[in-house]
Every structure is written in structure tokens, then in C-alpha cells.
Amino acid sequence: MIIDDQHYDIIIIGTGAGGGTLAQKLAPTGKKILLLERGDFMELKDQNRAEVDIFKKERYRSPERWYDPHGESFSPLNNYAVGGNTKIYGATLQRMRERDFEKVEHQDGVSPEWSVKYKDFEPYYAEAEKLYQVHGLAGEDPTEPSRSAEYPYPPFNHEPCIQKVVDAIAEKGLHPTSLPMGWTRQDDDPTSDSEIYGINPALKHPNVSLKTSAKVLCLHTNSTGTEVKAVEAEINGQSFLMFADIVVLACGAINSAVILLQSANEKHPDGLANRSGQVGRNLMKQQMTAIVQLDIASNSGKFSRSVSVNDFYWGDENYAYPMGHIQNTGGLLQDVIFAESPPIFSVLAKTMPQFGLKQLAMRSIGWWAQTETLPDTNNRVRVSDNKIYLDYTPNNVEAHDRLVYKWLDVLKSIDKQRASVYPRGEVPVQVVAIQSGTCRFGEDPNTSVLDVNCRAHDVQNLYVVDSSFFPSSSGVMPALTVIANALRVGDHLISLLH
């Protein structure tokens, strides 16, 4: 094993929404910071999905095998690269609603209360929106939370094919809303991600360094188990040991839990920071259904998401429980998650046999229906014989089905041409880009892994700043909340470092 002769003030493991954002926040402190990234830099041609075939088998999947509840192996849609999953996400950057931070009753159970409230997150949401150049328009959405400032940038115009649908939806008394999106406004690399707004600014500081192709294997503690003393990683086939005063995990809810479980020792026999037994448990992955709306007029198949509908977020006149969020997928030829849903063009192919996959995609509009998944201790990440297992069963199913059928009714009511077929496809467990939970934060160390500052209850210099800390998943995309939380934890760490 090679011992790194440098001693770091902070080691941040992972460079995605949490790790990359935290790096740029801490870089100006002058503290010696090491960033460890399992992947490498992505070539620009692979990031610009207008130039690649997203339907190509195994594109954007990680080179490893995980196992589903039936013991079947799969290659997860989980990106290892500088910037993490923000290099392949849709750049939808939404705030959770005020009520999402409170205890919410669902038909299948309870979405638990957060220890930190929306008012505490609001200034960090505003900071995150400015940092990631979020484009949006306040005042359209009936569920929109309170804001201290307008969006930093105005929304982009809808594509003509989407504008037509937006107008028809509005005529039904609904509230189609400009979807908050992060954009760089650069033609060659339009999507805001944590490499652009986190890692690159951080590396401009001489006190920050980055090691790529660095797979962290485990964390080593002192003899009492109260502090992490070293990070063990495999870098280009060699084992390294690196030392730091503070260690931050930001590998995603699944891999951060895996590292903690693999770091078991005499003082932490069930996994590091796992006195509560909650590490790896309460894995949440929002239910997502892709719905295809046939459109006679062709479109480019390559355009951004732009519209959402939240009229059914908290239910409707016939259902007293939350249902969830609707947004368009953007062009179907560049939506990564859409490409991972089961082949939902098969029905359309039968009605339009003269068209191939690409032609069908260019004559369709895609929609996402997404519903909150409730925390369940049986939904978990576990490691057995060095294999990663996802024991996961979706819940809150009726609420999601109601949302899907509600949206199908809306589409049918506005379709004045011929779209009588609306194929749908459920996003499978292999798509883990919207993972959360596994290291929930809270005030009680017996029921949570992290405290309110996302520090491990039992390990005084260990923090987690990815979506692991979520006690509930809400019905909107988690990325902006991860970014805002990293900024919040960054302020806490800065107060400790001075």
C-alpha cells in the first residue's frame, strides 16, 4: 500500500451535485482539499446528447454489476465521471415545497418531518439557483414555495410542439409552469453541472487537488472509532492511504452507504456510523412513468424539458392524498432516463409500421409522471460477499397510478387530432439517478445516521452531502436540494475551519 505523504484538511469523495458544490464553497478558505473521483473527465461529445445515440445499449451505465431483489445482476445507470450524475441528468432544478419538509400523510403511510425546514433551506436554494444559473419564472405554479428573490434567469421559450400543448392545458383550467432548468447558455455545453460550477472553480485555487480513477474502498478510524483517520482508495490499480482532518462522502445514496458498510471495524461492527442500523436502509427512488403522446407533426426530437404541471401534487377533488409531479421529457432522442424505460414505442410501431424508432421519437411528445416513494426500512442497500444488492419494492403505488391516469385523461381531453394510443413505461430499478435516503439525518442518533449538519452522529469528522441525508424524497427532482444542502453544510464547515 502506498501512503500519501500529504496531510489534507478535507477529503471530499465524489464530485457530483453534493461534492462538486461543496468543493467550490470551501475552496476559498485556503484549506488543503483533496477531491477523489472514481471516474475521469467525460469528453464533450459524450456530454452533448444531441450528438449521441442515447438508445445505444449500455450507454451511460457504470462498468459493474449490482443485484436486484431477485438476485438478478444488472448494470446500473449510474455515471462515474468528474461531475457525477450531473453529467447525464436533465438539469431540472426544483425546490421542494414548504409542506414537503413537514410530516405528510399518504395513503400508504407517512412522509416524515425534516429536522431542518424550508425557511432554513430557502437562502441556500437561492444561492444554488444563482450558482447553477437556473432559468425559471415565479408565480405560475399553485404549489410554488415562497421565494426571497426571482429566478436568476428567465425561462427559455417552449418548443412549438410543446407550446401548443401548454396552451391547451391552460384552457382546461390547469397551471402549466415553466420548469426550472439549469443552463450555461453555451452552445457547445449547455447543461449546468457540478464540473462546470463546482469542480472547475474549485481547481482554480492552488489549495485544491483532484485525483481521478480513484475508487474508495473503505474508511479507517482511530482506535476508539470516533474519528476517520484515513481513506483507502484504489487508484489505477494501486492501493493508496490518504489522511485528513475531515472526510466528506458524496458518492450518491447507494455508494456512500456501500462505503460505510464496507468500513466495518471492531468499534463499528455493522458498518461505520451505523449504531442506529439505518445505514443503507430507507432507500428511496421516486416512481417514474414515461408517457408518450403521439403528435402528427414531426419535431426535432432534441430539445430541452420546459414545462411542468403540479395541479395534482397534493391530490385533487377525488383523492385527498398527494399524487405528484408532471413534466415533459424534452426531446425523446436525448432524454437518458426515457431511453432506459421499457420499450414503449412497440404499440406505436404497430399503428405506424412505416416508421422506425428515430422517426417515432420525432413524432412524439414525452411526459414524466413522478410520485414520492415513502421511506421503508426494508428498501435498502446491502453488501454481501462484496456484492451490492438493492432490496427494493416500490410503494405509494395507488397514488402514482392515479397520477398517471389523471394525466392520460388530460392528454386525451386536449388531443384534437388522432392520438388515441398513449403507451407508458415504468422506469426500472436499474435507473438509480434519482436515489435518496440510506443515511437519513435527524436529531435522534437511535433513528438516524447523521445530525442536522449532516455529520455522522458517532464519527465526529465524517460528513455526507449527497442525497443520502433525505428523510423523505418529495415528488420533485432532488438535485437542487442536494446542491442547496451542500452549500448549507459548507457554511457549517467554514465556521469550524476558522
Side-chain angles (χ1 to χ4, degrees), residues 283-301:
L283 173 64
M284 294 171 285
K285 194 178 79 68
Q286 292 167 347
Q287 293 186 76
M288 294 185 69
T289 295
I291 300 170
V292 172
Q293 178 186 10
L294 179 63
D295 188 24
I296 298 301
S298 64
N299 60 64
S300 67

Side-chain angles (χ1 to χ4, degrees), residues 322-337:
M323 287 194 280
H325 167 75
I326 299 289
Q327 65 176 265
N328 73 312
T329 66
L332 298 188
L333 294 180
Q334 63 186 43
D335 192 290
V336 174
I337 301 179

Side-chain angles (χ1 to χ4, degrees), residues 291-492:
I291 300 170
V292 172
Q293 178 186 10
L294 179 63
D295 188 24
I296 298 301
S298 64
N299 60 64
S300 67
K302 296 178 179 180
F303 53 87
S304 68
R305 307 178 189 188
S306 63
V307 63
S308 65
V309 177
N310 288 315
D311 292 82
F312 316 119
Y313 195 86
W314 298 118
D316 66 7
E317 65 278 6
N318 298 314
Y319 190 68
Y321 301 104
M323 287 194 280
H325 167 75
I326 299 289
Q327 65 176 265
N328 73 312
T329 66
L332 298 188
L333 294 180
Q334 63 186 43
D335 192 290
V336 174
I337 301 179
F338 183 91
E340 294 293 329
S341 62
I344 61 178
F345 283 117
S346 56
V347 176
L348 288 179
K350 293 178 181 178
T351 62
M352 304 177 68
Q354 69 272 30
F355 295 112
L357 179 63
K358 182 177 180 180
Q359 289 74 25
L360 285 172
M362 293 172 65
R363 283 171 171 78
S364 303
I365 297 173
W367 298 93
W368 285 121
Q370 61 189 78
T371 300
E372 178 171 355
T373 295
L374 304 179
D376 181 345
T377 59
N378 295 314
N379 282 344
R380 62 184 296 200
V381 181
R382 61 184 175 89
V383 179
S384 179
D385 296 328
N386 292 318
K387 295 178 180 178
I388 298 173
Y389 289 83
L390 302 187
D391 296 336
Y392 190 82
T393 302
N395 58 42
N396 212 16
V397 174
E398 182 173 341
H400 185 65
D401 285 344
R402 284 177 176 268
L403 177 65
V404 170
Y405 286 115
K406 191 77 176 182
W407 191 243
L408 288 173
D409 286 343
V410 171
L411 294 180
K412 291 173 183 177
S413 72
I414 66 173
D415 232 323
K416 297 180 174 64
Q417 297 187 48
R418 55 155 286 179
S420 58
V421 179
Y422 298 87
R424 56 182 280 193
E426 315 304 323
V427 174
V429 69
Q430 291 87 343
V431 177
V432 295
I434 48 174
Q435 57 189 270
S436 64
T438 72
C439 296
R440 55 163 54 180
F441 81 157
E443 298 173 347
D444 185 353
N446 294 312
T447 59
S448 58
V449 177
L450 310 172
D451 69 12
V452 295
N453 292 312
C454 291
R455 193 203 75 180
H457 286 296
D458 300 325
V459 186
Q460 61 190 34
N461 66 337
L462 173 62
Y463 291 79
V464 183
V465 297
D466 51 40
S467 57
S468 300
F469 86 96
F470 282 42
S472 65
S473 66
S474 85
V476 298
M477 293 295 189
L480 189 70
T481 301
V482 174
I483 293 166
N485 185 63
L487 296 170
R488 184 182 73 91
V489 174
D491 273 348
H492 167 74

